[in-house]
Amino acid sequence: MNKYTRKHLEQVEGYTPGEQPTESGFIKLNTNENPYPPSPRVLHALQSLNTTDLRKYPDPLSTALRRACARRYNVPGEDWIVVGNGMDEILAMALRAFVDPGDKVVTVYPTYTLYEVLCRLHDCTLHYVALDANFQMPPDLYAEQGRLCFLTRPNAPTGVAYPREEVRRFCATFKGIVLIDEAYVDFGDDTCMDFPEQFDNVIVTRTFSKSYGLAGLRIGTAAARPELIREFVKIKDSYNLNTFSQAAGLAAIEDEDYMRQRAGQVRATRARLRDTLLDMGFDVPESSSNFLLAQWAGNPDAETIFRSLRDRSILVRYFKQPRLENALRISIGTDEECEALVASLKNILAV
Ligand SMILES: Cc1ncc(COP(=O)(O)O)c(C=O)c1O
């Protein structure tokens, strides 16, 4: 650490994203991207941009996109929505807007590992409450208080969606902000998007990186009451969503049928892959997301399987941390990609 760096950053390690290989030829099942392209309307919208659109600054408030999101999320108006450069930016902004350095933030364990990194960067304390043996919300979570709680539903990397009524009960008892991260919601059965109208402390966040197949364009959203949204707007970069992303996001969200159809394909492949993995001896919780957590108690161990798959040009995610060290997180690919994965796994495990 050099002498110019802020003191609290000495202990902080940055987030390690899943591998994005620069060479081609990999089957990428490691970062929960969509295996299918975005709606054809997206490319059309991008191709329709002209040099004037590029010369000028983007709309600082992404008005058209926010309006379309409000319609699709069924919230009262665009003043209930803010957009960000990916949901990750929204998560960082939530800490900056609602949590003072030194304050307590709550989440469950295991969950999205970025929360911990963001809390360290912001110099606040993250308190974990362990999920139960089935990766469901534990009773002691209801006794917790803090300035903010990150609750991912469906959760990552487990894929489990807690019952909606449990989340509602938690929102009613928690006195700080409850941020419900719905990155994977379009691959599940229900949403908590109606909660901001019921609770003044709830923010529901979404991303275009998964179900809309637009991870490369970095578009995330938050829905909450206008008095909370105004705090995001106060602190955000003036032009946090570029012209390309605004145009692409708008085209994508207006083609709801396309997104639903692709999400349906992912769900069908997910069901088949889960059955196959169960037959092979993996323990796999039911997933409402575009990935499966495949737990493996046998030999070779999960880390070895992860490396052997990589040697065969198949990337999955391995987390060397408690409760996950015997598991692989496998993003749902196309049927062909999943068949190649299964063939390699059978080979590695000799089953
Ligand atoms: C739970 C969860 N939240 C947020 C994100 C980030 O979304 P974005 O790509 O919009 O930054 C991810 C991405 O993997 C995620 O798994």
Side-chain angles (χ1 to χ4, degrees):
M1 187 59 57
N2 77 65
K3 64 181 182 180
Y4 300 110
T5 306
R6 285 176 61 193
K7 190 110 193 81
H8 84 274
L9 291 180
E10 273 175 24
Q11 308 302 327
V12 183
E13 288 196 21
Y15 180 68
T16 312
E19 183 177 354
Q20 294 290 355
T22 45
E23 327 89 87
S24 56
F26 282 94
I27 294 181
K28 263 197 99 267
L29 305 176
N30 66 332
T31 49
N32 299 342
E33 289 143 338
N34 199 317
Y36 302 111
S39 158
R41 291 197 206 171
V42 168
L43 212 53
H44 185 255
L46 293 179
Q47 284 163 344
S48 307
L49 293 174
N50 58 39
T51 52
T52 306
D53 296 317
L54 302 187
R55 189 174 56 74
K56 292 188 331 196
Y57 282 106
D59 171 5
L61 291 175
S62 304
T63 313
L65 177 56
R66 283 170 46 240
R67 201 166 284 157
C69 289
R71 268 199 305 275
R72 149 116 156 82
Y73 301 164
N74 209 15
V75 297
E78 72 256 27
D79 52 339
W80 288 62
I81 306 285
V82 66
V83 296
N85 183 27
M87 193 211 290
D88 286 348
E89 187 196 23
I90 301 259
L91 300 174
M93 285 199 287
L95 290 179
R96 279 165 52 210
F98 303 113
V99 180
D100 285 307
D103 278 350
K104 179 177 164 191
V105 173
V106 176
T107 195
V108 298
Y109 185 87
T111 192
Y112 185 33
T113 50
L114 181 71
Y115 304 143
E116 182 170 331
V117 176
L118 292 178
C119 287
R120 284 172 186 263
L121 291 173
H122 193 62
D123 204 13
C124 54
T125 321
L126 182 64
H127 178 77
Y128 282 115
V129 181
L131 292 170
D132 74 11
N134 299 317
F135 297 119
Q136 291 288 345
M137 282 167 69
D140 29 332
L141 185 60
Y142 297 93
E144 286 299 334
Q145 289 299 340
R147 285 293 290 273
L148 185 144
C149 176
F150 288 115
L151 209 54
T152 318
R153 179 182 188 275
N155 193 19
T158 63
V160 172
Y162 321 117
R164 224 175 84 93
E165 287 315 306
E166 296 275 308
V167 180
R168 187 202 300 278
R169 189 153 75 86
F170 178 73
C171 293
T173 57
F174 195 74
K175 294 190 173 61
I177 297 279
V178 182
L179 187 151
I180 305 175
D181 176 335
E182 292 198 336
Y184 299 101
V185 75
D186 292 321
F187 303 104
D189 296 327
D190 58 9
T191 167
C192 296
M193 191 49 97
D194 52 321
F195 287 9
E197 281 198 75
Q198 298 166 35
F199 299 101
D200 66 5
N201 63 335
V202 174
I203 301 171
V204 179
T205 56
R206 297 263 180 105
T207 176
F208 284 60
S209 301
K210 314 294 177 183
S211 55
Y212 290 100
L214 288 175
L217 284 179
R218 316 297 304 121
I219 310 165
T221 66
R225 297 210 178 166
E227 61 267 27
L228 297 183
I229 294 298
R230 278 198 289 276
E231 301 305 316
F232 280 99
V233 174
K234 202 188 286 175
I235 61 166
K236 80 176 188 60
D237 281 353
S238 311
Y239 305 109
N240 65 333
L241 209 60
N242 68 58
T243 301
F244 272 83
S245 302
Q246 291 189 32
L250 182 61
I253 203 154
E254 286 184 336
D255 199 355
E256 172 85 2
D257 288 348
Y258 178 90
M259 183 278 280
R260 292 270 154 233
Q261 186 230 326
R262 291 304 198 184
Q265 278 177 280
V266 168
R267 290 173 63 134
T269 307
R270 177 182 77 200
R272 282 192 290 274
L273 180 60
R274 179 166 183 263
D275 285 348
T276 308
L277 292 171
L278 290 172
D279 283 347
M280 290 170 72
F282 286 90
D283 187 6
V284 191
E286 191 108 46
S287 170
S288 301
S289 303
N290 67 340
F291 56 83
L292 293 167
L293 188 72
Q295 303 173 98
W296 178 254
N299 271 319
D301 62 19
E303 188 172 7
T304 306
I305 302 173
F306 159 74
R307 291 189 196 293
S308 306
L309 285 171
R310 200 189 181 287
D311 292 341
R312 291 165 169 78
S313 299
I314 299 177
L315 300 180
V316 298
R317 194 86 191 258
Y318 176 71
F319 299 95
K320 204 180 179 74
Q321 60 187 66
R323 284 193 81 175
L324 300 174
E325 66 271 78
N326 294 326
L328 302 172
R329 193 199 65 191
I330 303 170
S331 307
I332 304 302
T334 60
D335 281 330
E336 296 70 37
E337 288 173 328
C338 291
E339 278 158 24
L341 167 84
V342 168
S344 286
L345 280 175
K346 286 187 170 159
N347 192 262
I348 294 163
L349 303 173
V351 291

